[in-house]
Amino acid sequence: MPLGTTPNKFMGHVFLLLISMCLFACTEQVDEAQLLSTPTVRQAAVAMPDSYSADVAKDILQKGGNAVDAAIAAQFVLAVTLPEAGNIGGGGFMLVYKDKKSDFIDYREQAPLSSHRDMYLDENGDVIPYQSVIGILASGVPGTVAGMWLAHEKYGSLPWKELVEPAFNLAEQGFKVHPKLAQSIERYIARLEKRGFDVNFKDYFAGAKADQLFKQLELADTLKRIRDQGRDGFYKGQTAKIISDFMRKEKGLVTEQDLLSYEAKSRTPISSNWREYQLLTSPPPSSGGIAIIQWLKMYDLITRDQQKLTHNSAAYLHLLAEIGKRVFADRAEYLGDPDFVEVPVVSLISDEYIAMRSQTILRDSISVTELVKPGLKESEQTTHFSIMDKWGNAVSNTTTINLGYGSGVVVEGAGFLLNDEMDDFSSKPGVANVFGAVGGQANEIQPKKRMLSSMTPSMVLKDGEVSFVTGSPGGTTIISSVYLSILNALEFSMSAEDVVNKPRFHHQLLPKDVIRYHDGVDPAVISELEQMGYIMSKRRFGDMQVILNHEGKIDAASEGNGRGKSIVF
Ligand code: DON
């Protein structure tokens, strides 16, 4: 694996802009109830990326629905009110903790049956710019409706129709467009036009104006079929015909057969002890669970005999960047869809392996990027929400169409945006995708395979009770957002508000020695790191939504820059 090669598919500013759009489903922080003082009262909480999903999720919980019911209803609402990431044309992961049992619903998109390894390469073997990111060829087979249906069959307590109805109403009757959304749509249209991308996004979304009602009637019809026919309302019958006819007309790849054979899967979450806690997190095809466990365990091992590092000091950022180099070297080599490649999960998070990996970490200088190899011997819009019900059940759900507004293509007649998730595959070994992530054989394109993801819905349990629910959008930076949120909450005892708003940072091996950081890191820390040799690059991180449970006292927060809303009630 040529891990040291320079990524040549990192497509510069336009994608940084697209990614930054995708980071924020955008947050107006409204805590309707302050923390109640009696820990015995079982509170419920939602931390959502917009106010519509927050209100509907709260409503479902107040009607007696459980956390999974609320999550399903919220997912459909987001498909209407958060078009940059909420979806029925994409996929995601739902981590469930219910009645003290955990489950992981994998509704990640699958590569179409006619896809193949070299589909994004030209005759010289070079990656064709943008083809896996914008336009009809960028989409994997959507998994969201199948995922919600599976979650409903396993855990739902309210009728399916009641869960889809709020989304249908918002699409049919319209919703008032948040000014941040209107602005984001305007910017996206301007970018598409500037780059000359010929997609139909504008035809569907140019009418979404700040503070005005925006109706989506084709989407409403699609949601009505899903409401009335369940899973079949998407993967069979009229919706399936509309999608496949559209694909044929536009020379896309998704066929009736692709839709019919799509499968959401229930997988065993990764569970690992860490300190006095149990970490419950995302297994492959997410890379995030393995990564956050490696990160947190190496951090503890290296700092165990020392004074606690100061939060966001140069020493703290450097140590976590050094660990990140190793985590991402492993990610690129070993991780892919577990239905296609054997992922050595147990080895990668074992204490022996972590100890061995920690040995080469340098505390005062930067390891040479090219020398950081995978360690085993043998060889910008996603959105996240967190929900906890009054019974202590919880859902951590991250969902995406990949970049903000996905492929930019709306299925004509069905009114929903298609994902551009195919870019999460490795189009060519060693060539970086839009998030700068490289990969090899484990993540090459194969029909029906799921592309490797960084989405990492996670929870931390203590004595069988959920003490923290976390997750974020942000491409590969998701992984850093999640482990940093765990350190913020449990190492630095922050409030939920601080957990989501303290500046985060990220290093992923490549680009070489680059630490991406969020505005707000102390300038003195930045110059210290620059003097060490780091290239410091400012950017936004994902719109994080967390819930903290301090022995019955619930604290929830949505990141301040977004348009999210958290409610404790
Ligand atoms: O699954 C993944 O890792 C990416 N498709 C996530 C994309 C994302 O977070 C974009 N938002 N900023």
Side-chain angles (χ1 to χ4, degrees):
M1 243 305 308
L3 282 174
T5 49
T6 313
N8 60 12
K9 195 185 146 195
F10 199 70
M11 293 156 187
H13 289 123
V14 66
F15 281 119
L16 288 178
L17 288 169
L18 289 174
I19 292 164
S20 65
M21 286 180 65
C22 88
L23 297 177
F24 277 80
C26 310
T27 301
E28 123 218 354
Q29 179 64 31
V30 183
D31 272 317
E32 285 190 356
Q34 291 304 315
L35 294 182
L36 294 182
S37 49
T38 27
T40 46
V41 176
R42 271 275 199 205
Q43 293 175 300
V46 300
M48 313 300 291
D50 78 355
S51 66
Y52 296 103
S53 54
D55 294 341
V56 166
K58 178 184 171 198
D59 223 45
I60 296 284
L61 292 177
Q62 284 188 324
K63 268 191 193 165
N66 62 36
V68 177
D69 294 316
I72 294 167
Q75 172 83 37
F76 284 114
V77 166
L78 290 168
V80 179
T81 61
L82 201 120
E84 61 269 55
N87 67 82
I88 52 174
F93 300 135
M94 181 188 287
L95 177 63
V96 177
Y97 189 66
K98 180 151 188 305
D99 304 328
K100 306 233 183 265
K101 291 201 190 76
S102 61
D103 195 1
F104 182 82
I105 308 283
D106 170 359
Y107 59 99
R108 183 75 164 159
E109 299 90 330
Q110 289 180 300
L113 289 161
S114 59
S115 63
H116 56 93
R117 192 190 64 186
D118 297 336
M119 63 185 276
Y120 297 115
L121 303 185
D122 63 17
E123 58 282 5
N124 301 320
D126 294 327
V127 172
I128 304 166
Y130 304 114
Q131 209 170 61
S132 61
V133 213
I134 293 280
I136 198 77
L137 287 174
S139 302
V141 182
T144 297
V145 177
M148 296 307 109
W149 185 250
L150 180 60
H152 172 68
E153 281 191 317
K154 292 188 81 173
Y155 304 109
S157 70
L158 294 182
W160 173 259
K161 286 189 179 185
E162 268 180 51
L163 305 179
V164 187
E165 185 72 8
F168 164 71
N169 287 335
L170 285 160
E172 195 196 39
Q173 288 157 29
F175 71 97
K176 202 165 114 183
V177 176
H178 194 291
K180 286 181 178 173
L181 173 59
Q183 205 182 46
S184 146
I185 287 174
E186 227 171 84
R187 278 198 306 253
Y188 185 66
I189 290 173
R191 263 172 229 149
L192 289 174
E193 283 176 351
K194 190 164 164 214
R195 306 293 307 192
F197 290 126
D198 183 21
V199 289
N200 64 2
F201 179 82
K202 187 179 173 183
D203 304 341
Y204 280 80
F205 288 95
K209 299 287 180 213
D211 296 320
Q212 289 181 21
L213 216 56
F214 179 55
K215 296 184 184 177
Q216 299 169 83
L217 298 180
E218 285 182 5
L219 178 59
D221 284 346
T222 305
L223 286 165
K224 192 168 168 187
R225 288 189 290 274
I226 294 168
R227 181 194 69 187
D228 298 342
Q229 298 159 38
R231 186 191 193 288
D232 291 352
F234 187 86
Y235 294 95
K236 290 182 179 171
Q238 197 179 344
T239 313
K241 184 169 174 358
I242 294 173
I243 299 170
S244 45
D245 285 352
F246 177 69
M247 282 281 165
R248 252 189 303 276
K249 176 168 94 74
E250 298 294 321
K251 303 198 176 18
L253 299 184
V254 178
T255 62
E256 284 96 334
Q257 191 52 34
D258 278 302
L259 294 165
L260 210 54
S261 66
Y262 179 83
E263 222 191 330
K265 288 200 164 178
S266 163
R267 301 187 191 272
T268 308
I270 298 185
S271 167
S272 172
N273 292 333
W274 178 71
R275 304 187 178 175
E276 68 270 41
Y277 304 104
Q278 183 191 355
L279 297 170
L280 212 53
T281 184
S282 307
S286 169
S287 59
I290 292 170
I292 68 161
I293 291 171
Q294 289 188 332
W295 231 306
L296 292 167
K297 281 188 169 180
M298 276 193 244
Y299 175 82
D300 269 16
L301 194 66
I302 291 165
T303 56
R304 76 185 148 179
D305 299 325
Q306 299 171 0
Q307 245 190 342
K308 191 157 125 179
L309 291 172
T310 305
H311 185 256
N312 280 3
S313 60
Y316 183 71
L317 266 72
H318 166 65
L319 172 60
L320 290 166
E322 276 286 292
I323 298 173
K325 276 194 154 71
R326 283 132 186 102
V327 169
F328 269 82
D330 283 353
R331 182 191 192 273
E333 180 69 13
Y334 303 121
L335 302 196
D337 181 346
D339 296 340
F340 284 73
V341 290
E342 208 166 308
V343 181
V345 180
V346 176
S347 310
L348 288 169
I349 59 172
S350 73
D351 289 344
E352 301 71 46
Y353 181 71
I354 296 291
M356 185 276 285
R357 266 322 237 170
S358 307
Q359 277 165 11
T360 55
I361 285 177
L362 305 174
R363 294 302 296 273
D364 301 317
S365 57
I366 306 175
S367 300
V368 177
T369 303
E370 289 76 3
L371 299 181
V372 179
K373 305 283 184 206
L376 286 178
K377 286 272 185 306
E378 64 269 29
S379 42
E380 257 128 294
Q381 180 89 39
T382 298
T383 189
H384 176 86
F385 59 79
S386 299
I387 299 179
M388 192 184 278
D389 66 26
K390 62 184 175 189
W391 299 285
N393 304 314
V395 165
S396 179
N397 188 90
T398 313
T399 184
T400 192
I401 40 178
N402 198 25
L403 296 182
Y405 308 104
S407 61
V409 176
V410 179
V411 178
E412 284 163 18
F416 66 88
L417 273 162
L418 284 162
N419 67 82
D420 57 347
E421 222 72 65
M422 293 296 282
D423 191 63
D424 277 346
F425 278 117
S426 168
S427 294
K428 186 177 173 180
V431 175
N433 75 353
V434 76
F435 296 108
V438 292
Q441 205 177 8
N443 190 33
E444 69 185 16
I445 303 172
Q446 281 176 264
K448 288 197 77 78
K449 194 173 177 184
R450 293 169 208 251
M451 50 300 275
L452 186 63
S453 174
S454 299
M455 291 185 289
T456 317
S458 299
M459 293 179 202
V460 182
L461 309 187
K462 192 172 175 201
D463 304 327
E465 294 282 334
V466 176
S467 31
F468 187 45
V469 188
T470 182
S472 176
T476 45
T477 69
I478 290 173
I479 299 172
S480 291
S481 289
V482 171
Y483 86 78
L484 288 170
S485 75
I486 295 174
L487 288 174
N488 283 352
L490 304 172
E491 166 89 339
F492 297 101
S493 308
M494 290 181 192
S495 65
E497 193 72 35
D498 278 352
V499 167
V500 296
N501 288 320
K502 286 285 175 200
R504 286 170 244 153
F505 54 90
H506 173 75
H507 176 62
Q508 59 175 43
L509 188 69
L510 294 172
K512 192 173 166 170
D513 300 334
V514 170
I515 293 184
R516 301 171 189 172
Y517 70 99
H518 194 283
D519 205 9
V521 175
D522 182 353
V525 166
I526 293 168
S527 29
E528 206 177 318
L529 290 163
E530 281 171 347
Q531 270 160 27
M532 280 180 82
Y534 283 111
I535 299 151
M536 301 300 289
S537 153
K538 192 153 73 172
R539 58 163 287 165
R540 294 173 83 183
F541 280 67
D543 184 23
M544 183 166 253
Q545 316 286 332
V546 305
I547 301 176
L548 263 169
N549 174 9
H550 299 288
E551 292 163 7
K553 274 192 200 171
I554 309 294
D555 184 11
S558 301
E559 189 170 338
N561 287 319
R563 58 177 200 272
K565 172 168 163 176
S566 59
I567 317 173
V568 180
F569 55 101

